[in-house]
Amino acid sequence: MAFNERVPTRSTGTRRTAALALGPVLAMAAGLVTGPATPAAAGAAGCAVRPPHPAGEPPARQRPAGDDDGRSGHRCPAGPAGPAGPSGAVDTAFAATTTTPEAKYVGVAQGDGGALVRDPTSVAPNPHWHDLSLLPGYPGGAVGISLSPTPLNGTARLAVTVRSVTGQVAQTHCTLAPNVVWPGNCTAFTDLTPPL
């Protein structure tokens, strides 16, 4: 069920004879077609569904989304996006009170939404790390943090600014004193989110 047809070629201007097969069944029997005949069949026989990467892990040795699956010879659709990896931040500031030498304060946005400040003047049973997410106005979902000493009328204070995963920015001011009880020494968070 094949016929010969003379077709012109661009390179030489001469004519060649080409055999054209009729019907996909004959083509497959002759070994001319090896893959599925339709996109629907290609999807059924081709693309392997790859699970999303675990949060925080690099996509090692994986082909880009939509890359050839290596078996069917066609391009696979992109899969669903994996979950966002954890993120967080740390900042430090040196501050002194009227009765203590300069000390290093550490702020951590933990990546799980919490924000902590380490006060080196805290002594047992008062812990060194203090949770600021208990304060009114805390935006939640903190992924960024900034510490800045801000003396006011001779009183040592620490401005703590956080940025949430949704882009909200808020700030609290905490009065510093030896072994002060946190977060009772801090003001409520004030929203400083910039206009979009």
Side-chain angles (χ1 to χ4, degrees), residues 123-141:
V123 294
N126 195 9
H128 279 297
W129 287 99
H130 308 282
D131 188 357
L132 299 187
S133 65
L134 305 174
L135 292 170
Y138 180 73

Side-chain angles (χ1 to χ4, degrees), residues 4 23 29 31 33-34 71-73 84 86 94 103 122 145-147 152 166 184 186:
N4 290 334
V33 178
T34 58
R71 291 174 295 177
S72 64
F94 288 90
S122 297
I145 192 166
S146 173
L147 304 183
L152 179 66
T166 60
C186 302

Side-chain angles (χ1 to χ4, degrees), residues 13-71:
T14 62
R15 295 180 172 270
R16 280 190 193 164
T17 301
L20 301 177
L22 297 177
V25 174
L26 294 176
M28 290 184 79
L32 299 176
V33 178
T34 58
T38 65
C47 299
V49 178
R50 298 184 187 106
H53 306 298
E57 281 191 19
R61 297 185 180 181
Q62 283 215 345
R63 292 184 291 269
D67 197 11
D68 186 342
D69 71 358
R71 291 174 295 177

Side-chain angles (χ1 to χ4, degrees), residues 6-11 13-16:
R6 301 178 73 76
V7 292
T9 60
R10 294 185 183 184
S11 60
T14 62
R15 295 180 172 270
R16 280 190 193 164

